[in-house]
Amino acid sequence: MKVLITTDLYKTNTNGVVTSVRNLMEELEKKGHEVRVLTVSEKLKSHQDGNIYYIKSLPLGAVYPDVRMPISYHRHRYIRELIEWKPDVVHSQCEFFSYQFAGYISRKAGAPIVHTYHTLYEQYVTYVFLRPKIGAYFVGKLSKFRLRKAEAVVAPTQKVENVLKKYGVCNPIYVVPSGIALEQHKERISEEERKARRDALGIPEDHTVLLNLGRLGTEKKLSELLEMFAIALSQNPKLTMLIVGDGPARKELEEQARELGISRRVIFTGMVDPSEVHKYYQLGDVFVSASTSETQGLTYVEAAANGLPLLCRRDPCLNGVLVAGKNGYEFEAEQEFCEFLDTILSNPEWCHTARAQSKEIADGFDKSSFAEKIENIYESVTEKKR
């Protein structure tokens, strides 16, 4: 089967959409499918890298950091080439710029569209709209309009399916959790390397490390996490917060840490090499998050695969990833955060069991089963098209 994947992003390594696309492409190719990706270039020049096609673009940082808009559409030679290639199915991963490519190529090649709805834009509307309710209304209308021609919609979680139904989306919806490449996250660093890396970052040997990994955007609510950490630190001075990743909110977060008087105990690593990500997870003792913007939360699964207990804000995306009392706890307020953290820190035997539970739960999110489920959807929509 010939599969064309369209996406606004492909290069960045701190984005769940990119992770999902790369894993899907790799697994589909293993199954013998021919896969090509059409995406937006990171510069004012179109180029091709093997089966990856990049369309030239302009930055739209005034709207949202790192967003780029393609400046060439239907007449571009890459578009003509992909139409002539005649894909059997077009799998769109983003609702905005690249979706226009998906729709045009779908019509010209006679291929059905499968669309994965990765992002809950209601959490991002404050970047564009001053009034969140207006933004949420706009997002709902736009989503329903955009998806009207998709033969099938993939929702990473039940949470996303519920949102789409609230928007009035009537397309067939399949709940398929995005898979992750577990091989890397099953590799364990030695105690010697762990100690050396923590020493290099300035982490005291007797400190418990609370780790957060991902893109540093305001929608991730890291500001609230720092406030809760400050309270926890006042109760237990042997804590360090390790924040791995980068993003537009980093400077504000660093300034907030200074204002809270906790900057000596909060470490920002910046971007790390993708091949090193699992090593950074393993420098932590507990994975923490206050975000409610996740559709699935692949970093939660990765953290679990690396054997970390989870302490996260209550959210439907955690269903099936965090089992309360088994491999972590869900909090709703700062008092609960501190209470659950104290419970974790005072129970080393529970932590040992929780680490094993996290690894076992993560095994269910292997990317091979993810690709198999998506493949079944492709077969269904192509058969229906015929």
Side-chain angles (χ1 to χ4, degrees), residues 182 186 188 300-310 318 320-329 348-365:
L182 290 175
K186 289 183 176 181
R188 296 289 173 259
Y300 302 155
V301 181
E302 291 177 351
N306 281 281
L308 291 181
L310 310 177
L318 288 164
V321 181
L322 191 162
V323 181
K326 295 293 185 180
N327 72 319
Y329 294 96
E349 290 185 7
W350 179 90
C351 287
H352 178 76
T353 304
R355 285 192 284 271
Q357 290 280 346
S358 278
K359 294 175 191 175
E360 184 177 334
I361 289 170
D363 284 341
F365 291 84

Side-chain angles (χ1 to χ4, degrees), residues 143-329:
S143 297
K144 181 180 179 180
F145 177 78
R146 277 297 209 191
L147 301 182
R148 71 194 189 284
K149 293 184 178 179
E151 293 287 343
V153 177
V154 177
T157 59
Q158 188 74 49
K159 172 184 176 180
V160 178
E161 181 185 26
N162 293 340
V163 169
L164 291 173
K165 288 181 176 178
K166 181 185 75 173
Y167 291 161
V169 173
C170 299
N171 316 55
I173 301 175
Y174 300 83
V175 178
V176 182
S178 296
I180 66 170
L182 290 175
E183 295 87 355
Q184 179 195 49
H185 299 290
K186 289 183 176 181
E187 295 176 9
R188 296 289 173 259
I189 61 175
S190 66
E191 278 301 316
E192 292 77 11
E193 182 179 356
R194 185 174 190 263
K195 183 179 184 304
R197 284 177 172 269
R198 285 171 58 131
D199 287 346
L201 289 168
I203 301 171
E205 188 174 352
D206 60 346
H207 272 217
T208 297
V209 175
L210 310 186
L211 180 136
N212 180 276
L213 185 148
R215 187 176 182 282
L216 308 189
T218 56
E219 68 281 353
K220 302 297 184 181
K221 299 186 178 179
L222 284 159
S223 175
E224 294 180 27
L225 194 61
L226 288 180
E227 291 175 1
M228 289 184 283
F229 175 71
I231 296 171
L233 190 62
S234 68
Q235 300 169 359
N236 183 349
K238 293 186 177 182
L239 295 175
T240 293
M241 173 78 79
L242 183 61
I243 298 177
V244 182
D246 211 340
R250 178 173 175 178
K251 288 185 179 180
E252 294 176 15
L253 293 169
E254 290 176 331
E255 178 59 30
Q256 181 187 4
R258 285 190 288 270
E259 291 175 355
L260 289 170
I262 59 174
S263 57
R264 291 182 64 252
R265 295 275 55 91
V266 179
I267 300 170
F268 292 86
T269 68
M271 289 286 289
V272 300
D273 190 295
S275 65
E276 300 267 292
V277 166
H278 66 294
K279 297 180 180 180
Y280 281 88
Y281 275 117
Q282 291 171 45
L283 299 184
D285 297 295
V286 183
F287 182 84
V288 293
S289 174
S291 175
T292 56
S293 68
E294 314 301 323
T295 53
Q296 181 180 351
L298 293 179
T299 55
Y300 302 155
V301 181
E302 291 177 351
N306 281 281
L308 291 181
L310 310 177
L311 179 56
C312 305
R313 188 183 295 279
R314 186 179 302 281
D315 190 78
C317 80
L318 288 164
N319 293 343
V321 181
L322 191 162
V323 181
K326 295 293 185 180
N327 72 319
Y329 294 96

Side-chain angles (χ1 to χ4, degrees), residues 326-382:
K326 295 293 185 180
N327 72 319
Y329 294 96
E330 294 181 74
F331 64 88
E332 291 185 353
E334 61 184 34
Q335 182 179 352
E336 282 187 312
F337 175 87
C338 294
E339 289 174 355
F340 285 138
L341 179 60
D342 183 62
T343 298
I344 293 171
L345 299 182
S346 61
N347 288 276
E349 290 185 7
W350 179 90
C351 287
H352 178 76
T353 304
R355 285 192 284 271
Q357 290 280 346
S358 278
K359 294 175 191 175
E360 184 177 334
I361 289 170
D363 284 341
F365 291 84
D366 186 75
K367 61 180 182 177
S368 61
S369 69
F370 161 60
E372 184 175 339
K373 292 173 183 175
I374 295 296
E375 183 184 41
N376 290 338
I377 296 172
Y378 292 165
E379 291 174 354
S380 174
V381 296
T382 52

